[in-house]
Amino acid sequence: MTDDAIPGAGPKKRRVQSVLFMCNFNAVRSLAAEAIARHYFGKSTYVQSAGVRSGEPSDPFMIAALDEIGIDASRHKPRTIEQLEDWEGLNFDLIITLSPEAHHRALELTHTLAADVEYWPTPDPTLVQDGTREQRLDGYRDVRDGLTYRIKSRLKT
C-alpha cells in the first residue's frame, strides 16, 4: 500500500522543523496536539498551538486524558492566532488544522506565509454532554489517541 492510498497521508514530505496546531478555541483539540507533539518531538521540532477565537478555558477533561498517558498540560493557556502572531510572529513550516473554521483561517494565513497546511478532521469531544464522567472522558481519550497516532506518523524523522 502506498502513502497515496492512506487517506490524508499524501506523499512523503521533508522533515518538519516547526508546526502550529490550530482549532477553534485552543482549549481541547489543539491543546492536546501541542502537548502530544511537544512530548514526543519537542527536542527536534518547534511546536505551538492557537485558536481562531478566544473565550474558552483549557478543558479539564482533556487535561485529565493527557495526564493518563503522562503528559502534563495543566499550565496551558489558550491563545488566539492573533496573540501568537503578536508575541512571536508566525514562522511555521506546517500548520495542522483540526476544525473547519481553523482550516479556513489557516488558508487565509498562507496568503502571507509560506507554510504548508494540512487538515486533520478531528471530532469535538465537548459536544457529548450526556453520559457518565467516564463515558464523556472516553471521547477525549479517542481524540487524544487519534492525535497521538497521526502526530507520531507525521512528525517522525
Side-chain angles (χ1 to χ4, degrees):
M1 179 182 254
T2 66
D3 281 348
D4 294 350
I6 301 168
K12 187 77 174 147
K13 298 176 175 73
R14 62 183 162 74
R15 190 179 86 71
V16 175
Q17 294 181 9
S18 58
V19 62
L20 171 65
F21 293 96
M22 283 179 63
C23 203
N24 294 349
F25 291 103
N26 192 222
V28 181
R29 294 170 283 185
S30 56
L31 169 160
E34 176 186 350
I36 292 163
R38 280 182 192 246
H39 181 76
Y40 290 107
F41 300 100
K43 289 185 175 27
S44 61
T45 305
Y46 179 70
V47 180
Q48 283 290 354
S49 66
V52 176
R53 294 178 268 143
S54 64
E56 296 289 321
S58 297
D59 189 295
F61 278 100
M62 186 52 81
I63 301 295
L66 290 166
D67 192 53
E68 289 177 349
I69 62 168
I71 297 175
D72 180 7
S74 63
R75 291 187 189 94
H76 179 83
K77 300 274 187 275
R79 63 192 156 268
T80 64
I81 193 71
E82 287 77 17
Q83 289 168 326
L84 184 62
E85 187 171 24
D86 290 347
W87 292 334
E88 64 178 54
L90 300 176
N91 187 20
F92 297 94
D93 300 333
L94 176 62
I95 300 172
I96 295 174
T97 61
L98 306 171
S99 69
E101 184 178 0
H103 190 66
H104 291 295
R105 181 71 177 97
L107 292 177
E108 290 171 9
L109 291 172
T110 61
H111 295 286
T112 56
L113 297 176
D116 292 330
V117 176
E118 293 180 13
Y119 176 41
W120 296 0
T122 305
D124 182 354
T126 67
L127 298 177
V128 177
Q129 297 292 320
D130 298 334
T132 65
R133 179 185 192 283
E134 196 62 25
Q135 289 168 329
R136 289 181 62 198
L137 200 48
D138 281 343
Y140 287 81
R141 291 177 181 125
D142 289 346
V143 169
R144 174 200 69 200
D145 295 346
L147 286 171
T148 299
Y149 175 80
R150 289 198 78 170
I151 289 165
K152 283 180 167 182
S153 298
R154 181 63 178 91
L155 298 183
K156 72 179 180 211
T157 53

